[in-house]
Amino acid sequence: MKLVVIGENIEDNSRFVEDSNCQETLARTISYFEGLGYALPWVGYYALIGDEVIGTCAFKGGPINGKVEIAYVTFDQYRGKGYGTEMCRDLVRIGQDHNAAIQISARTLREKGHSTRILEKNGFSIKDEIIDLDGAPVWEWIYNGNS
């Protein structure tokens, strides 16, 4: 699996525009980064196996106060094959390669599930229960290493 940077504008993403798995996520990702700013490596990525796009992952903006949040999703037909775990691991590596002092976080629903297992496999642990931007309580996970 390899991660490919999602470009800043639709014109920068001709490779993904016609892919049915990318149409919704591409527009949403570009819109998201229009509001936050676009600065490598703190952007979105598509995960590919060969030429097949199997998921997407991102930093949810650049670091703020020494902390950056990640997110990832595997497209339905590719779930259960370990790709989410790989995307999470690769985002951690990218973040640490850029700045090892950055604290890497993620948020999940307050219940055990696929995403919590992915985070645990990658060396994250629950730090706290916080209120997400939409007002819902979530678990905040922090990368502790040992992945």
Side-chain angles (χ1 to χ4, degrees):
M1 186 192 79
K2 69 177 179 176
L3 297 185
V4 176
V5 172
I6 297 173
E8 185 173 5
N9 304 298
I10 200 73
E11 300 81 23
D12 301 328
N13 294 285
S14 58
R15 174 179 187 177
F16 304 116
V17 170
E18 298 300 321
D19 189 311
S20 62
N21 283 324
C22 300
Q23 290 173 348
E24 179 183 337
T25 58
L26 181 58
R28 191 172 354 132
T29 300
I30 290 170
S31 175
Y32 189 78
F33 285 106
E34 283 173 354
L36 288 176
Y38 187 90
L40 292 171
W42 316 113
V43 297
Y45 299 83
Y46 279 120
L48 280 73
I49 299 290
D51 289 332
E52 195 74 23
V53 181
I54 55 96
T56 184
C57 57
F59 293 96
K60 294 177 78 176
I64 297 174
N65 298 321
K67 184 164 83 173
V68 67
E69 184 180 351
I70 64 169
Y72 45 85
V73 63
T74 305
F75 298 137
D76 289 341
Q77 63 269 39
Y78 302 103
R79 289 195 175 141
K81 297 180 175 156
Y83 299 134
T85 301
E86 287 185 57
M87 283 187 274
C88 180
R89 183 190 63 228
D90 287 352
L91 286 175
V92 168
R93 181 189 48 76
I94 290 167
Q96 292 208 312
D97 285 353
H98 189 75
N99 183 344
I102 295 291
Q103 186 177 55
I104 300 171
S105 70
R107 295 178 181 183
T108 67
L109 298 174
R110 297 177 306 154
E111 58 190 39
K112 295 288 184 174
H114 296 293
S115 196
T116 60
R117 284 192 296 280
I118 287 169
L119 292 168
E120 288 169 341
K121 287 179 189 177
N122 278 289
F124 285 75
S125 60
I126 297 172
K127 177 185 177 195
D128 209 351
E129 183 176 300
I130 62 172
I131 303 301
D132 207 4
L133 294 175
D134 65 0
V138 295
W139 285 337
E140 181 180 44
W141 295 73
I142 299 296
Y143 176 70
N144 299 308
N146 304 323
S147 61

mmCIF file of all heavy atoms in Angstrom, residues 1 3 47-49 54-55 57 72-75 77-90 118:
data_model
loop_
_atom_site.group_PDB
_atom_site.id
_atom_site.type_symbol
_atom_site.label_atom_id
_atom_site.label_comp_id
_atom_site.label_asym_id
_atom_site.label_seq_id
_atom_site.Cartn_x
_atom_site.Cartn_y
_atom_site.Cartn_z
ATOM 1 N N MET A 1 0.842 -1.178 0.000
ATOM 2 C CA MET A 1 0.000 0.000 0.000
ATOM 3 C C MET A 1 0.884 1.237 0.000
ATOM 4 O O MET A 1 1.910 1.263 0.659
ATOM 5 C CB MET A 1 -0.891 0.003 1.248
ATOM 6 C CG MET A 1 -1.892 1.140 1.241
ATOM 7 S SD MET A 1 -2.713 1.386 2.813
ATOM 8 C CE MET A 1 -1.453 2.273 3.676
ATOM 9 N N LEU A 3 0.640 5.732 0.050
ATOM 10 C CA LEU A 3 -0.177 6.929 0.186
ATOM 11 C C LEU A 3 0.232 7.926 -0.880
ATOM 12 O O LEU A 3 1.417 8.143 -1.120
ATOM 13 C CB LEU A 3 0.003 7.551 1.566
ATOM 14 C CG LEU A 3 -0.427 6.720 2.767
ATOM 15 C CD1 LEU A 3 -0.299 7.531 4.050
ATOM 16 C CD2 LEU A 3 -1.842 6.189 2.612
ATOM 17 N N ALA A 47 -5.033 6.136 -0.242
ATOM 18 C CA ALA A 47 -4.276 4.894 -0.085
ATOM 19 C C ALA A 47 -4.531 4.036 -1.319
ATOM 20 O O ALA A 47 -5.681 3.817 -1.698
ATOM 21 C CB ALA A 47 -4.718 4.167 1.178
ATOM 22 N N LEU A 48 -3.456 3.578 -1.939
ATOM 23 C CA LEU A 48 -3.559 2.787 -3.160
ATOM 24 C C LEU A 48 -2.873 1.437 -3.006
ATOM 25 O O LEU A 48 -1.824 1.332 -2.371
ATOM 26 C CB LEU A 48 -2.899 3.509 -4.338
ATOM 27 C CG LEU A 48 -3.684 4.620 -5.026
ATOM 28 C CD1 LEU A 48 -3.768 5.856 -4.186
ATOM 29 C CD2 LEU A 48 -3.055 4.929 -6.364
ATOM 30 N N ILE A 49 -3.505 0.430 -3.592
ATOM 31 C CA ILE A 49 -2.891 -0.871 -3.812
ATOM 32 C C ILE A 49 -2.821 -0.995 -5.328
ATOM 33 O O ILE A 49 -3.854 -1.079 -5.987
ATOM 34 C CB ILE A 49 -3.736 -2.024 -3.214
ATOM 35 C CG1 ILE A 49 -3.903 -1.880 -1.712
ATOM 36 C CG2 ILE A 49 -3.133 -3.370 -3.598
ATOM 37 C CD1 ILE A 49 -2.652 -2.117 -0.905
ATOM 38 N N ILE A 54 -8.093 2.422 -2.242
ATOM 39 C CA ILE A 54 -8.775 1.582 -1.251
ATOM 40 C C ILE A 54 -9.234 2.362 -0.013
ATOM 41 O O ILE A 54 -9.966 1.849 0.811
ATOM 42 C CB ILE A 54 -7.887 0.384 -0.843
ATOM 43 C CG1 ILE A 54 -6.504 0.821 -0.323
ATOM 44 C CG2 ILE A 54 -7.692 -0.539 -2.025
ATOM 45 C CD1 ILE A 54 -6.430 0.909 1.140
ATOM 46 N N GLY A 55 -8.811 3.629 0.105
ATOM 47 C CA GLY A 55 -9.223 4.424 1.259
ATOM 48 C C GLY A 55 -8.588 5.795 1.223
ATOM 49 O O GLY A 55 -7.876 6.152 0.279
ATOM 50 N N CYS A 57 -6.970 9.009 4.026
ATOM 51 C CA CYS A 57 -6.560 9.373 5.375
ATOM 52 C C CYS A 57 -6.009 10.790 5.337
ATOM 53 O O CYS A 57 -5.699 11.310 4.261
ATOM 54 C CB CYS A 57 -5.538 8.391 5.927
ATOM 55 S SG CYS A 57 -4.037 8.190 4.944
ATOM 56 N N TYR A 72 -8.828 8.487 9.219
ATOM 57 C CA TYR A 72 -8.637 7.508 8.140
ATOM 58 C C TYR A 72 -9.938 6.775 7.910
ATOM 59 O O TYR A 72 -10.763 6.633 8.814
ATOM 60 C CB TYR A 72 -7.527 6.502 8.511
ATOM 61 C CG TYR A 72 -7.662 5.998 9.926
ATOM 62 C CD1 TYR A 72 -8.490 4.930 10.231
ATOM 63 C CD2 TYR A 72 -7.015 6.649 10.974
ATOM 64 C CE1 TYR A 72 -8.670 4.511 11.534
ATOM 65 C CE2 TYR A 72 -7.185 6.240 12.277
ATOM 66 C CZ TYR A 72 -8.013 5.164 12.548
ATOM 67 O OH TYR A 72 -8.202 4.764 13.850
ATOM 68 N N VAL A 73 -10.133 6.329 6.679
ATOM 69 C CA VAL A 73 -11.297 5.504 6.348
ATOM 70 C C VAL A 73 -10.918 4.581 5.196
ATOM 71 O O VAL A 73 -10.270 4.991 4.238
ATOM 72 C CB VAL A 73 -12.545 6.353 5.990
ATOM 73 C CG1 VAL A 73 -12.313 7.195 4.750
ATOM 74 C CG2 VAL A 73 -13.774 5.492 5.822
ATOM 75 N N THR A 74 -11.300 3.327 5.334
ATOM 76 C CA THR A 74 -11.132 2.341 4.266
ATOM 77 C C THR A 74 -12.474 2.219 3.564
ATOM 78 O O THR A 74 -13.518 2.121 4.217
ATOM 79 C CB THR A 74 -10.721 0.973 4.858
ATOM 80 O OG1 THR A 74 -9.548 1.152 5.655
ATOM 81 C CG2 THR A 74 -10.447 -0.031 3.763
ATOM 82 N N PHE A 75 -12.484 2.261 2.231
ATOM 83 C CA PHE A 75 -13.733 2.137 1.492
ATOM 84 C C PHE A 75 -14.331 0.750 1.730
ATOM 85 O O PHE A 75 -13.611 -0.239 1.917
ATOM 86 C CB PHE A 75 -13.508 2.404 0.013
ATOM 87 C CG PHE A 75 -13.008 3.812 -0.264
ATOM 88 C CD1 PHE A 75 -11.997 4.026 -1.169
ATOM 89 C CD2 PHE A 75 -13.538 4.914 0.388
ATOM 90 C CE1 PHE A 75 -11.520 5.310 -1.438
ATOM 91 C CE2 PHE A 75 -13.081 6.198 0.151
ATOM 92 C CZ PHE A 75 -12.068 6.400 -0.772
ATOM 93 N N GLN A 77 -15.615 -1.888 0.319
ATOM 94 C CA GLN A 77 -15.222 -3.161 -0.290
ATOM 95 C C GLN A 77 -13.820 -3.618 0.115
ATOM 96 O O GLN A 77 -13.436 -4.747 -0.172
ATOM 97 C CB GLN A 77 -15.372 -3.118 -1.818
ATOM 98 C CG GLN A 77 -14.480 -2.118 -2.519
ATOM 99 C CD GLN A 77 -15.104 -0.746 -2.699
ATOM 100 O OE1 GLN A 77 -15.787 -0.236 -1.828
ATOM 101 N NE2 GLN A 77 -14.845 -0.129 -3.848
ATOM 102 N N TYR A 78 -13.066 -2.766 0.813
ATOM 103 C CA TYR A 78 -11.698 -3.114 1.202
ATOM 104 C C TYR A 78 -11.528 -3.261 2.712
ATOM 105 O O TYR A 78 -10.419 -3.485 3.190
ATOM 106 C CB TYR A 78 -10.717 -2.062 0.680
ATOM 107 C CG TYR A 78 -10.798 -1.909 -0.818
ATOM 108 C CD1 TYR A 78 -11.464 -0.831 -1.382
ATOM 109 C CD2 TYR A 78 -10.241 -2.865 -1.662
ATOM 110 C CE1 TYR A 78 -11.552 -0.697 -2.762
ATOM 111 C CE2 TYR A 78 -10.336 -2.735 -3.039
ATOM 112 C CZ TYR A 78 -10.999 -1.650 -3.582
ATOM 113 O OH TYR A 78 -11.091 -1.524 -4.945
ATOM 114 N N ARG A 79 -12.607 -3.151 3.458
ATOM 115 C CA ARG A 79 -12.521 -3.234 4.919
ATOM 116 C C ARG A 79 -12.179 -4.646 5.369
ATOM 117 O O ARG A 79 -12.427 -5.621 4.682
ATOM 118 C CB ARG A 79 -13.838 -2.784 5.547
ATOM 119 C CG ARG A 79 -14.022 -1.297 5.384
ATOM 120 C CD ARG A 79 -15.087 -0.726 6.265
ATOM 121 N NE ARG A 79 -15.079 0.720 6.090
ATOM 122 C CZ ARG A 79 -16.151 1.460 6.042
ATOM 123 N NH1 ARG A 79 -17.335 0.915 6.204
ATOM 124 N NH2 ARG A 79 -16.052 2.759 5.876
ATOM 125 N N GLY A 80 -11.587 -4.721 6.551
ATOM 126 C CA GLY A 80 -11.272 -6.013 7.147
ATOM 127 C C GLY A 80 -9.993 -6.643 6.627
ATOM 128 O O GLY A 80 -9.742 -7.817 6.880
ATOM 129 N N LYS A 81 -9.170 -5.877 5.919
ATOM 130 C CA LYS A 81 -7.945 -6.421 5.342
ATOM 131 C C LYS A 81 -6.689 -5.773 5.923
ATOM 132 O O LYS A 81 -5.591 -5.999 5.427
ATOM 133 C CB LYS A 81 -7.968 -6.249 3.822
ATOM 134 C CG LYS A 81 -9.117 -7.028 3.205
ATOM 135 C CD LYS A 81 -9.171 -6.873 1.706
ATOM 136 C CE LYS A 81 -10.275 -7.791 1.262
ATOM 137 N NZ LYS A 81 -10.930 -7.591 0.122
ATOM 138 N N GLY A 82 -6.850 -4.947 6.949
ATOM 139 C CA GLY A 82 -5.705 -4.324 7.600
ATOM 140 C C GLY A 82 -5.263 -3.006 7.005
ATOM 141 O O GLY A 82 -4.277 -2.414 7.460
ATOM 142 N N TYR A 83 -5.980 -2.499 6.001
ATOM 143 C CA TYR A 83 -5.554 -1.260 5.356
ATOM 144 C C TYR A 83 -5.700 -0.047 6.278
ATOM 145 O O TYR A 83 -4.875 0.870 6.221
ATOM 146 C CB TYR A 83 -6.310 -1.031 4.050
ATOM 147 C CG TYR A 83 -6.081 -2.115 3.028
ATOM 148 C CD1 TYR A 83 -7.136 -2.670 2.322
ATOM 149 C CD2 TYR A 83 -4.796 -2.587 2.753
ATOM 150 C CE1 TYR A 83 -6.932 -3.657 1.370
ATOM 151 C CE2 TYR A 83 -4.579 -3.583 1.814
ATOM 152 C CZ TYR A 83 -5.662 -4.112 1.124
ATOM 153 O OH TYR A 83 -5.448 -5.097 0.192
ATOM 154 N N GLY A 84 -6.731 -0.022 7.117
ATOM 155 C CA GLY A 84 -6.891 1.086 8.062
ATOM 156 C C GLY A 84 -5.712 1.156 9.020
ATOM 157 O O GLY A 84 -5.205 2.241 9.336
ATOM 158 N N THR A 85 -5.258 -0.005 9.472
ATOM 159 C CA THR A 85 -4.090 -0.071 10.358
ATOM 160 C C THR A 85 -2.854 0.476 9.647
ATOM 161 O O THR A 85 -2.084 1.239 10.233
ATOM 162 C CB THR A 85 -3.854 -1.525 10.818
ATOM 163 O OG1 THR A 85 -5.029 -1.986 11.498
ATOM 164 C CG2 THR A 85 -2.658 -1.628 11.734
ATOM 165 N N GLU A 86 -2.695 0.134 8.379
ATOM 166 C CA GLU A 86 -1.545 0.631 7.608
ATOM 167 C C GLU A 86 -1.629 2.137 7.386
ATOM 168 O O GLU A 86 -0.614 2.837 7.499
ATOM 169 C CB GLU A 86 -1.465 -0.066 6.250
ATOM 170 C CG GLU A 86 -1.010 -1.502 6.321
ATOM 171 C CD GLU A 86 -0.824 -2.099 4.934
ATOM 172 O OE1 GLU A 86 -0.030 -1.530 4.140
ATOM 173 O OE2 GLU A 86 -1.479 -3.110 4.642
ATOM 174 N N MET A 87 -2.830 2.655 7.074
ATOM 175 C CA MET A 87 -2.976 4.095 6.863
ATOM 176 C C MET A 87 -2.626 4.858 8.136
ATOM 177 O O MET A 87 -1.902 5.856 8.083
ATOM 178 C CB MET A 87 -4.401 4.433 6.415
ATOM 179 C CG MET A 87 -4.668 4.120 4.969
ATOM 180 S SD MET A 87 -6.291 4.710 4.424
ATOM 181 C CE MET A 87 -7.326 3.330 4.914
ATOM 182 N N CYS A 88 -3.134 4.379 9.263
ATOM 183 C CA CYS A 88 -2.834 5.011 10.545
ATOM 184 C C CYS A 88 -1.329 5.002 10.799
ATOM 185 O O CYS A 88 -0.733 6.033 11.140
ATOM 186 C CB CYS A 88 -3.594 4.295 11.658
ATOM 187 S SG CYS A 88 -3.312 4.959 13.311
ATOM 188 N N ARG A 89 -0.707 3.853 10.617
ATOM 189 C CA ARG A 89 0.739 3.727 10.832
ATOM 190 C C ARG A 89 1.520 4.679 9.930
ATOM 191 O O ARG A 89 2.472 5.335 10.352
ATOM 192 C CB ARG A 89 1.185 2.284 10.582
ATOM 193 C CG ARG A 89 2.689 2.077 10.865
ATOM 194 C CD ARG A 89 3.207 0.728 10.395
ATOM 195 N NE ARG A 89 3.066 0.649 8.944
ATOM 196 C CZ ARG A 89 2.533 -0.374 8.303
ATOM 197 N NH1 ARG A 89 2.109 -1.437 8.941
ATOM 198 N NH2 ARG A 89 2.428 -0.359 6.983
ATOM 199 N N ASP A 90 1.105 4.773 8.657
ATOM 200 C CA ASP A 90 1.814 5.640 7.724
ATOM 201 C C ASP A 90 1.661 7.116 8.087
ATOM 202 O O ASP A 90 2.611 7.897 7.949
ATOM 203 C CB ASP A 90 1.348 5.384 6.291
ATOM 204 C CG ASP A 90 1.870 4.057 5.737
ATOM 205 O OD1 ASP A 90 2.715 3.405 6.390
ATOM 206 O OD2 ASP A 90 1.417 3.665 4.651
ATOM 207 N N ILE A 118 -7.629 -0.304 15.568
ATOM 208 C CA ILE A 118 -6.569 0.234 14.708
ATOM 209 C C ILE A 118 -5.633 1.120 15.524
ATOM 210 O O ILE A 118 -4.411 0.999 15.443
ATOM 211 C CB ILE A 118 -7.182 1.021 13.527
ATOM 212 C CG1 ILE A 118 -7.804 0.051 12.524
ATOM 213 C CG2 ILE A 118 -6.138 1.929 12.861
ATOM 214 C CD1 ILE A 118 -8.656 0.713 11.460
#
